[in-house]
Amino acid sequence: MFFHWNSFAQASYLLKPDRVFDGLDIHEGWSVLVQKEKIVAVGEHKSVEETARKSATSDKTTLQVIELKGCTLLPGFIEGHSHLFLHPYNETTWDDQVLKEARSLRTARATLHAKKTLLAGFTTVRDLGTEGAEFDDVGLKEAINKGIIPGPRMVIATKALIATGSYAPKGFSADIDVPQGAEEADGHDRLIQAVRRQIGKGADVVKIYADYRWGLMGEARPTFLVDEIKLIVETAHSSGRPTTAHAASAEGMRRAILGGCETLEHGDAGTPEIFSLMHDKGVALCPTLAAGDAVNQYRGWKKGIEPEPERIKNKRITFKQALDAGVTICFGGDVGVFSHGDNAREMEMMVDYGMKPIDVLRSATSTNAKVFHLNQLGLVKSTFLADLVAVEGRPEERISDVRKVKFVMKNGDIFRNDADTLIKPGK
């Protein structure tokens, strides 16, 4: 059910769940007070309720009490790797989405993806490339920010950067130039221009492909040289933007780390030495477990019936190696490869692959906020932005409970309220 109650925009909300996960730990018997777009009080029910009554009296605002019985209230989840302009590859292949779907069609579909994402409790997404849809994520972000359509906060990468000849679509006549899923650039001047152009158009983060499947036998091989990556990172950093890298091979990961990228996406063929280097350099990993899981199923693997493919077995090994090395793990599923709104699939797989549920919750809230430089998000804390989600149950014990979304608030506005007790006036 979709709610957006602008008529209550000036109201104060007293949220009364059974417990609060504040982005770090669980607190039984806590409440949260929200005024306008900010959290103004967090703590034990009695204390916060008293603050709410006094504030409502002095400010002459309407206090709305929302009972969230049986629920855990958490910071709005932060999806670390999404592609709102993609939809599952078993519906339409990636090549056909890039080459055959009109950008207007892809944008229309992206608006629905944004709504599904928000209503699933994911109030922020780091959207890492439009995959051939040019700068259309800039307009989508603006439409959300202006309240034209419902959707999460967006941290966008626009077109992303690739080395000439390395990306896709591929397999066409050498006599024709085929549109690519990202912007090609190489060498000193062209790389600087490309980075600055994407930033100028609206990129919040610069994404590069440090490797891709362009090896002689179609295997993943490095693309940019270390010096090229350093140049990209330096150019982006001069404007205050971080750089992230698609990196699946060990050498691509090594170059991205040494080049100064802040996060690596995928990391499929990482080694203990590479993960140790990531830890030492403070580089975070966004493992995208769910994407590989989905692709293998699209290719015919019957999960739960047939043995796991080698790619899945290897991913379990490398993920454990990253955990053992103490690498910071970002939550991000590469959603778009699989269905938007099903973002929780990655959370469940992170637990299945070895993380504790509460560590996954931290990854999807406070950790992502810190790594992505979202300084007012990721914690249920006074003065922070009121991005909040309530789920039925105890997700710190059963991660699947994150799917039982009952309430979603973004920036102090309610977008979903399925709680048994609806809004009632405070007395």
Side-chain angles (χ1 to χ4, degrees):
M1 187 177 295
F2 171 62
F3 296 87
H4 188 184
W5 291 318
N6 285 319
S7 59
F8 292 161
Q10 296 305 310
S12 296
Y13 296 105
L14 177 59
L15 309 180
K16 300 179 68 176
D18 283 8
R19 67 198 65 84
V20 170
F21 172 72
D22 66 359
L24 299 171
D25 298 296
I26 290 287
H27 304 276
E28 297 289 339
W30 272 25
S31 292
V32 176
L33 177 63
V34 173
Q35 291 179 349
K36 297 182 180 180
E37 77 280 7
K38 292 288 187 75
I39 297 168
V40 297
V42 181
E44 294 182 356
H45 286 320
K46 186 176 180 180
S47 174
V48 174
E49 191 165 0
E50 183 178 349
T51 300
R53 306 298 180 197
K54 289 180 179 178
S55 178
T57 301
S58 62
D59 296 342
K60 297 181 180 180
T61 56
T62 302
L63 176 63
Q64 304 289 340
V65 180
I66 303 179
E67 301 279 356
L68 297 164
K69 296 291 187 184
C71 290
T72 302
L73 186 70
L74 311 94
F77 300 130
I78 301 171
E79 169 61 61
H81 191 133
S82 75
H83 294 281
L84 290 175
F85 286 84
L86 292 177
H87 58 105
Y89 300 167
N90 62 335
E91 298 173 358
T92 307
T93 65
W94 184 88
D95 279 15
D96 283 354
Q97 291 184 51
V98 173
L99 295 176
K100 295 182 179 180
E101 291 186 346
R103 282 168 51 199
S104 53
L105 170 63
R106 296 182 69 187
T107 300
R109 185 178 275 122
T111 65
L112 295 180
H113 295 163
K115 178 180 176 180
K116 288 180 178 179
T117 300
L118 177 61
L119 296 186
F122 297 83
T123 55
T124 300
V125 299
R126 188 176 63 145
D127 204 67
L128 293 182
T130 61
E131 304 290 346
E134 298 291 315
F135 296 101
D136 292 346
D137 53 350
V138 177
L140 181 66
K141 175 182 175 179
E142 185 177 3
I144 292 169
N145 288 348
K146 289 184 174 180
I148 298 169
I149 59 171
R153 302 176 189 273
M154 292 183 67
V155 177
I156 59 174
T158 68
K159 296 171 70 173
L161 287 170
I162 53 173
T164 298
S166 65
Y167 199 40
K170 280 187 169 64
F172 295 86
S173 168
D175 298 326
I176 60 173
D177 291 324
V178 177
Q180 294 292 287
E183 181 175 0
E184 293 183 322
D186 317 271
H188 186 276
D189 291 354
R190 287 189 62 199
L191 280 173
I192 290 177
Q193 281 187 332
V195 172
R196 289 175 175 166
R197 178 167 49 250
Q198 291 189 11
I199 289 171
K201 293 287 188 178
D204 303 305
V205 58
V206 172
K207 180 189 178 182
I208 68 168
Y209 284 77
D211 56 28
Y212 204 69
R213 297 183 295 275
W214 72 320
L216 188 60
M217 304 305 293
E219 75 279 12
R221 299 287 294 180
T223 53
F224 295 113
L225 303 176
V226 173
D227 285 345
E228 289 180 309
I229 296 174
K230 287 181 177 179
L231 179 64
I232 292 168
V233 170
E234 182 182 7
T235 305
H237 191 259
S238 68
S239 74
R241 268 82 167 178
T243 302
T244 185
H246 166 114
S249 67
E251 177 60 17
M253 293 173 71
R254 187 189 71 84
R255 293 186 188 184
I257 296 163
L258 296 180
C261 293
E262 293 190 9
T263 67
L264 302 188
E265 313 302 307
H266 314 303
D268 294 358
T271 65
E273 293 75 23
I274 290 293
F275 292 127
S276 178
L277 183 63
M278 288 184 71
H279 174 267
D280 292 346
K281 296 291 186 180
V283 179
L285 174 68
C286 195
T288 66
L289 307 175
D293 180 80
V295 168
N296 274 277
Q297 291 187 64
Y298 299 158
R299 292 172 177 168
W301 172 45
K302 295 180 176 60
K303 186 175 182 177
I305 299 173
E306 298 177 348
E308 290 186 337
E310 285 303 309
R311 176 177 175 178
I312 300 297
K313 292 178 181 178
N314 291 336
K315 189 69 174 183
R316 285 186 182 275
I317 293 170
T318 57
F319 186 67
K320 185 177 185 303
Q321 289 172 345
L323 291 176
D324 290 345
V327 174
T328 297
I329 304 295
C330 295
F331 159 75
D334 206 355
V335 60
V337 176
F338 57 99
S339 296
H340 295 279
D342 191 27
N343 308 63
R345 179 174 180 172
E346 179 78 6
M347 290 182 170
E348 292 168 335
M349 292 193 65
M350 291 167 81
V351 171
D352 182 41
Y353 280 40
M355 286 184 76
K356 296 177 181 178
I358 196 163
D359 288 334
V360 173
L361 296 179
R362 290 170 180 145
S363 178
T365 55
S366 57
T367 296
N368 272 6
K370 182 178 180 180
V371 172
F372 304 156
H373 309 288
L374 304 172
N375 298 327
Q376 290 292 302
L377 298 173
L379 294 172
V380 182
K381 182 179 179 181
S382 179
T383 75
F384 273 50
L385 292 170
D387 284 16
L388 300 163
V389 57
V391 301
E392 185 178 19
R394 290 181 167 273
E396 79 281 8
E397 297 176 358
R398 296 176 299 275
I399 196 64
S400 60
D401 284 352
V402 297
R403 293 185 177 275
K404 300 176 182 177
V405 177
K406 297 297 181 183
F407 177 87
V408 177
M409 173 179 279
K410 190 190 83 171
N411 209 46
D413 288 330
I414 297 171
F415 285 84
R416 179 171 181 169
N417 184 12
D418 300 348
D420 290 336
T421 304
L422 296 179
I423 289 180
K424 62 183 182 181
K427 297 180 181 179

Short mmCIF file of all heavy atoms in Angstrom, two decimals, residues 222-264:
data_model
loop_
_atom_site.label_atom_id
_atom_site.label_comp_id
_atom_site.label_asym_id
_atom_site.label_seq_id
_atom_site.Cartn_x
_atom_site.Cartn_y
_atom_site.Cartn_z
N PRO A 222 42.26 -6.94 -16.80
CA PRO A 222 42.32 -5.52 -16.44
C PRO A 222 42.12 -4.62 -17.65
O PRO A 222 42.42 -4.99 -18.80
CB PRO A 222 43.73 -5.36 -15.85
CG PRO A 222 44.16 -6.73 -15.47
CD PRO A 222 43.50 -7.66 -16.44
N THR A 223 41.62 -3.42 -17.38
CA THR A 223 41.37 -2.44 -18.44
C THR A 223 42.31 -1.25 -18.25
O THR A 223 43.36 -1.18 -18.88
CB THR A 223 39.90 -1.99 -18.42
OG1 THR A 223 39.58 -1.54 -17.08
CG2 THR A 223 38.97 -3.13 -18.79
N PHE A 224 41.97 -0.34 -17.37
CA PHE A 224 42.79 0.85 -17.15
C PHE A 224 44.12 0.49 -16.47
O PHE A 224 44.18 -0.43 -15.65
CB PHE A 224 42.05 1.85 -16.26
CG PHE A 224 40.82 2.44 -16.90
CD1 PHE A 224 39.56 2.15 -16.38
CD2 PHE A 224 40.91 3.26 -18.00
CE1 PHE A 224 38.42 2.69 -16.95
CE2 PHE A 224 39.77 3.80 -18.58
CZ PHE A 224 38.52 3.51 -18.06
N LEU A 225 45.15 1.25 -16.81
CA LEU A 225 46.43 1.13 -16.12
C LEU A 225 46.32 1.80 -14.75
O LEU A 225 45.45 2.64 -14.52
CB LEU A 225 47.53 1.80 -16.94
CG LEU A 225 47.71 1.28 -18.38
CD1 LEU A 225 48.77 2.11 -19.10
CD2 LEU A 225 48.07 -0.20 -18.38
N VAL A 226 47.22 1.43 -13.85
CA VAL A 226 47.19 2.03 -12.51
C VAL A 226 47.29 3.55 -12.59
O VAL A 226 46.57 4.27 -11.88
CB VAL A 226 48.32 1.46 -11.63
CG1 VAL A 226 48.38 2.21 -10.29
CG2 VAL A 226 48.12 -0.03 -11.39
N ASP A 227 48.15 4.05 -13.45
CA ASP A 227 48.30 5.51 -13.57
C ASP A 227 47.03 6.16 -14.08
O ASP A 227 46.71 7.30 -13.70
CB ASP A 227 49.49 5.85 -14.47
CG ASP A 227 50.84 5.63 -13.79
OD1 ASP A 227 50.85 5.50 -12.54
OD2 ASP A 227 51.86 5.59 -14.49
N GLU A 228 46.32 5.47 -14.96
CA GLU A 228 45.04 6.02 -15.45
C GLU A 228 44.02 6.07 -14.32
O GLU A 228 43.27 7.05 -14.18
CB GLU A 228 44.52 5.17 -16.61
CG GLU A 228 45.31 5.32 -17.90
CD GLU A 228 44.75 4.46 -19.02
OE1 GLU A 228 44.54 3.25 -18.80
OE2 GLU A 228 44.52 5.01 -20.11
N ILE A 229 43.98 5.02 -13.52
CA ILE A 229 43.04 5.01 -12.40
C ILE A 229 43.39 6.11 -11.41
O ILE A 229 42.50 6.82 -10.91
CB ILE A 229 43.03 3.63 -11.71
CG1 ILE A 229 42.52 2.56 -12.68
CG2 ILE A 229 42.17 3.66 -10.45
CD1 ILE A 229 42.60 1.14 -12.15
N LYS A 230 44.68 6.29 -11.13
CA LYS A 230 45.09 7.36 -10.22
C LYS A 230 44.65 8.72 -10.75
O LYS A 230 44.22 9.60 -9.98
CB LYS A 230 46.61 7.34 -10.04
CG LYS A 230 47.12 6.20 -9.18
CD LYS A 230 48.63 6.26 -9.02
CE LYS A 230 49.13 5.16 -8.09
NZ LYS A 230 50.62 5.20 -7.95
N LEU A 231 44.73 8.91 -12.05
CA LEU A 231 44.31 10.17 -12.66
C LEU A 231 42.81 10.39 -12.51
O LEU A 231 42.36 11.49 -12.16
CB LEU A 231 44.70 10.18 -14.14
CG LEU A 231 44.31 11.42 -14.94
CD1 LEU A 231 45.04 12.66 -14.40
CD2 LEU A 231 44.63 11.22 -16.42
N ILE A 232 42.03 9.33 -12.75
CA ILE A 232 40.58 9.41 -12.58
C ILE A 232 40.24 9.77 -11.13
O ILE A 232 39.43 10.66 -10.86
CB ILE A 232 39.93 8.07 -12.97
CG1 ILE A 232 40.06 7.82 -14.47
CG2 ILE A 232 38.45 8.03 -12.53
CD1 ILE A 232 39.71 6.40 -14.89
N VAL A 233 40.86 9.06 -10.20
CA VAL A 233 40.59 9.27 -8.77
C VAL A 233 40.96 10.69 -8.36
O VAL A 233 40.20 11.37 -7.65
CB VAL A 233 41.35 8.23 -7.92
CG1 VAL A 233 41.28 8.59 -6.44
CG2 VAL A 233 40.77 6.84 -8.15
N GLU A 234 42.12 11.16 -8.81
CA GLU A 234 42.56 12.51 -8.45
C GLU A 234 41.62 13.56 -9.02
O GLU A 234 41.27 14.54 -8.34
CB GLU A 234 43.98 12.75 -8.98
CG GLU A 234 44.55 14.12 -8.60
CD GLU A 234 45.94 14.36 -9.16
OE1 GLU A 234 46.42 13.52 -9.96
OE2 GLU A 234 46.54 15.40 -8.81
N THR A 235 41.18 13.37 -10.25
CA THR A 235 40.26 14.32 -10.88
C THR A 235 38.92 14.35 -10.16
O THR A 235 38.37 15.42 -9.89
CB THR A 235 40.05 13.96 -12.37
OG1 THR A 235 41.32 13.89 -13.02
CG2 THR A 235 39.18 15.00 -13.06
N ALA A 236 38.42 13.17 -9.84
CA ALA A 236 37.14 13.10 -9.12
C ALA A 236 37.27 13.69 -7.73
O ALA A 236 36.40 14.44 -7.26
CB ALA A 236 36.67 11.65 -9.05
N HIS A 237 38.37 13.37 -7.05
CA HIS A 237 38.56 13.81 -5.67
C HIS A 237 38.68 15.32 -5.58
O HIS A 237 38.28 15.93 -4.56
CB HIS A 237 39.80 13.15 -5.08
CG HIS A 237 39.93 13.34 -3.60
ND1 HIS A 237 40.78 14.27 -3.05
CD2 HIS A 237 39.32 12.73 -2.56
CE1 HIS A 237 40.67 14.24 -1.74
NE2 HIS A 237 39.80 13.31 -1.41
N SER A 238 39.19 15.96 -6.61
CA SER A 238 39.33 17.42 -6.58
C SER A 238 37.98 18.10 -6.51
O SER A 238 37.88 19.25 -6.08
CB SER A 238 40.12 17.91 -7.80
OG SER A 238 39.37 17.73 -8.99
N SER A 239 36.91 17.41 -6.90
CA SER A 239 35.56 17.96 -6.81
C SER A 239 34.80 17.39 -5.61
O SER A 239 33.60 17.64 -5.46
CB SER A 239 34.77 17.63 -8.09
OG SER A 239 34.41 16.27 -8.12
N GLY A 240 35.50 16.58 -4.79
CA GLY A 240 34.86 16.00 -3.61
C GLY A 240 34.12 14.72 -3.88
O GLY A 240 33.36 14.26 -3.03
N ARG A 241 34.34 14.10 -5.05
CA ARG A 241 33.66 12.85 -5.38
C ARG A 241 34.57 11.65 -5.18
O ARG A 241 35.76 11.71 -5.51
CB ARG A 241 33.20 12.83 -6.85
CG ARG A 241 31.81 13.34 -7.10
CD ARG A 241 31.77 14.82 -7.17
NE ARG A 241 30.50 15.31 -7.71
CZ ARG A 241 30.21 16.59 -7.84
NH1 ARG A 241 31.09 17.51 -7.45
NH2 ARG A 241 29.05 16.98 -8.33
N PRO A 242 34.01 10.55 -4.66
CA PRO A 242 34.78 9.31 -4.57
C PRO A 242 34.73 8.54 -5.89
O PRO A 242 33.91 8.84 -6.77
CB PRO A 242 34.05 8.54 -3.47
CG PRO A 242 32.62 8.98 -3.61
CD PRO A 242 32.68 10.43 -4.05
N THR A 243 35.59 7.55 -6.01
CA THR A 243 35.60 6.67 -7.18
C THR A 243 35.41 5.24 -6.73
O THR A 243 36.02 4.80 -5.74
CB THR A 243 36.94 6.79 -7.94
OG1 THR A 243 37.14 8.14 -8.33
CG2 THR A 243 36.96 5.90 -9.17
N THR A 244 34.55 4.52 -7.44
CA THR A 244 34.35 3.09 -7.18
C THR A 244 34.67 2.31 -8.44
O THR A 244 34.58 2.85 -9.54
CB THR A 244 32.90 2.81 -6.73
OG1 THR A 244 32.79 1.43 -6.37
CG2 THR A 244 31.90 3.11 -7.83
N ALA A 245 35.04 1.06 -8.26
CA ALA A 245 35.48 0.27 -9.40
C ALA A 245 34.77 -1.08 -9.47
O ALA A 245 34.73 -1.81 -8.47
CB ALA A 245 36.99 0.02 -9.34
N HIS A 246 34.22 -1.38 -10.63
CA HIS A 246 33.87 -2.76 -10.97
C HIS A 246 35.20 -3.50 -11.08
O HIS A 246 36.07 -3.12 -11.88
CB HIS A 246 33.12 -2.79 -12.31
CG HIS A 246 33.01 -4.15 -12.92
ND1 HIS A 246 31.82 -4.80 -13.08
CD2 HIS A 246 33.95 -4.98 -13.45
CE1 HIS A 246 32.01 -5.96 -13.66
NE2 HIS A 246 33.31 -6.11 -13.89
N ALA A 247 35.38 -4.53 -10.26
CA ALA A 247 36.64 -5.28 -10.28
C ALA A 247 36.37 -6.71 -9.84
O ALA A 247 36.03 -6.95 -8.69
CB ALA A 247 37.68 -4.62 -9.38
N ALA A 248 36.51 -7.64 -10.77
CA ALA A 248 36.23 -9.04 -10.47
C ALA A 248 37.49 -9.88 -10.44
O ALA A 248 37.56 -10.89 -9.74
CB ALA A 248 35.25 -9.61 -11.50
N SER A 249 38.52 -9.49 -11.21
CA SER A 249 39.76 -10.26 -11.26
C SER A 249 40.74 -9.76 -10.20
O SER A 249 40.66 -8.61 -9.74
CB SER A 249 40.41 -10.12 -12.64
OG SER A 249 40.85 -8.79 -12.85
N ALA A 250 41.68 -10.60 -9.82
CA ALA A 250 42.66 -10.22 -8.81
C ALA A 250 43.49 -9.03 -9.26
O ALA A 250 43.73 -8.09 -8.49
CB ALA A 250 43.55 -11.41 -8.46
N GLU A 251 43.93 -9.03 -10.52
CA GLU A 251 44.76 -7.93 -11.01
C GLU A 251 43.95 -6.65 -11.16
O GLU A 251 44.44 -5.55 -10.85
CB GLU A 251 45.42 -8.30 -12.34
CG GLU A 251 46.25 -7.19 -12.97
CD GLU A 251 47.41 -6.70 -12.10
OE1 GLU A 251 47.80 -7.40 -11.15
OE2 GLU A 251 47.94 -5.60 -12.40
N GLY A 252 42.69 -6.76 -11.62
CA GLY A 252 41.84 -5.58 -11.70
C GLY A 252 41.60 -4.98 -10.33
O GLY A 252 41.61 -3.76 -10.14
N MET A 253 41.40 -5.84 -9.33
CA MET A 253 41.23 -5.38 -7.95
C MET A 253 42.49 -4.69 -7.45
O MET A 253 42.43 -3.63 -6.83
CB MET A 253 40.86 -6.56 -7.05
CG MET A 253 39.49 -7.17 -7.34
SD MET A 253 39.17 -8.69 -6.39
CE MET A 253 38.95 -8.00 -4.73
N ARG A 254 43.64 -5.30 -7.72
CA ARG A 254 44.91 -4.72 -7.26
C ARG A 254 45.12 -3.33 -7.84
O ARG A 254 45.48 -2.39 -7.12
CB ARG A 254 46.08 -5.63 -7.65
CG ARG A 254 47.42 -5.21 -7.07
CD ARG A 254 48.57 -6.02 -7.66
NE ARG A 254 48.81 -5.66 -9.07
CZ ARG A 254 49.56 -4.62 -9.45
NH1 ARG A 254 50.15 -3.85 -8.54
NH2 ARG A 254 49.73 -4.37 -10.73
N ARG A 255 44.86 -3.18 -9.12
CA ARG A 255 45.04 -1.87 -9.76
C ARG A 255 44.08 -0.83 -9.18
O ARG A 255 44.45 0.33 -8.95
CB ARG A 255 44.84 -1.98 -11.27
CG ARG A 255 45.91 -2.79 -11.97
CD ARG A 255 45.73 -2.74 -13.49
NE ARG A 255 46.63 -3.65 -14.18
CZ ARG A 255 46.73 -3.74 -15.50
NH1 ARG A 255 45.99 -2.95 -16.27
NH2 ARG A 255 47.57 -4.60 -16.05
N ALA A 256 42.83 -1.25 -8.96
CA ALA A 256 41.84 -0.32 -8.41
C ALA A 256 42.21 0.11 -6.99
O ALA A 256 42.04 1.28 -6.62
CB ALA A 256 40.46 -0.96 -8.42
N ILE A 257 42.72 -0.82 -6.21
CA ILE A 257 43.14 -0.50 -4.84
C ILE A 257 44.30 0.48 -4.87
O ILE A 257 44.29 1.53 -4.21
CB ILE A 257 43.55 -1.77 -4.07
CG1 ILE A 257 42.36 -2.72 -3.91
CG2 ILE A 257 44.13 -1.43 -2.71
CD1 ILE A 257 42.76 -4.14 -3.54
N LEU A 258 45.33 0.16 -5.64
CA LEU A 258 46.52 1.02 -5.71
C LEU A 258 46.20 2.37 -6.36
O LEU A 258 46.86 3.37 -6.08
CB LEU A 258 47.63 0.32 -6.48
CG LEU A 258 48.17 -0.97 -5.84
CD1 LEU A 258 49.27 -1.58 -6.70
CD2 LEU A 258 48.69 -0.70 -4.42
N GLY A 259 45.18 2.37 -7.21
CA GLY A 259 44.78 3.62 -7.87
C GLY A 259 44.00 4.56 -6.99
O GLY A 259 43.80 5.72 -7.34
N GLY A 260 43.50 4.06 -5.85
CA GLY A 260 42.81 4.94 -4.90
C GLY A 260 41.30 4.83 -4.88
O GLY A 260 40.64 5.68 -4.26
N CYS A 261 40.74 3.80 -5.50
CA CYS A 261 39.28 3.62 -5.46
C CYS A 261 38.85 3.31 -4.03
O CYS A 261 39.54 2.59 -3.30
CB CYS A 261 38.85 2.51 -6.39
SG CYS A 261 39.12 2.88 -8.14
N GLU A 262 37.69 3.84 -3.62
CA GLU A 262 37.23 3.67 -2.24
C GLU A 262 36.46 2.38 -2.03
O GLU A 262 36.47 1.83 -0.92
CB GLU A 262 36.39 4.87 -1.82
CG GLU A 262 37.18 6.15 -1.73
CD GLU A 262 36.40 7.28 -1.08
OE1 GLU A 262 35.30 7.04 -0.55
OE2 GLU A 262 36.89 8.43 -1.13
N THR A 263 35.76 1.92 -3.06
CA THR A 263 35.04 0.65 -2.95
C THR A 263 35.27 -0.16 -4.22
O THR A 263 35.47 0.39 -5.30
CB THR A 263 33.52 0.84 -2.75
OG1 THR A 263 32.95 1.42 -3.93
CG2 THR A 263 33.22 1.71 -1.54
N LEU A 264 35.25 -1.49 -4.05
CA LEU A 264 35.33 -2.41 -5.18
C LEU A 264 34.01 -3.17 -5.26
O LEU A 264 33.50 -3.65 -4.24
CB LEU A 264 36.48 -3.39 -5.03
CG LEU A 264 37.89 -2.82 -4.88
CD1 LEU A 264 38.92 -3.94 -4.95
CD2 LEU A 264 38.19 -1.75 -5.91
#
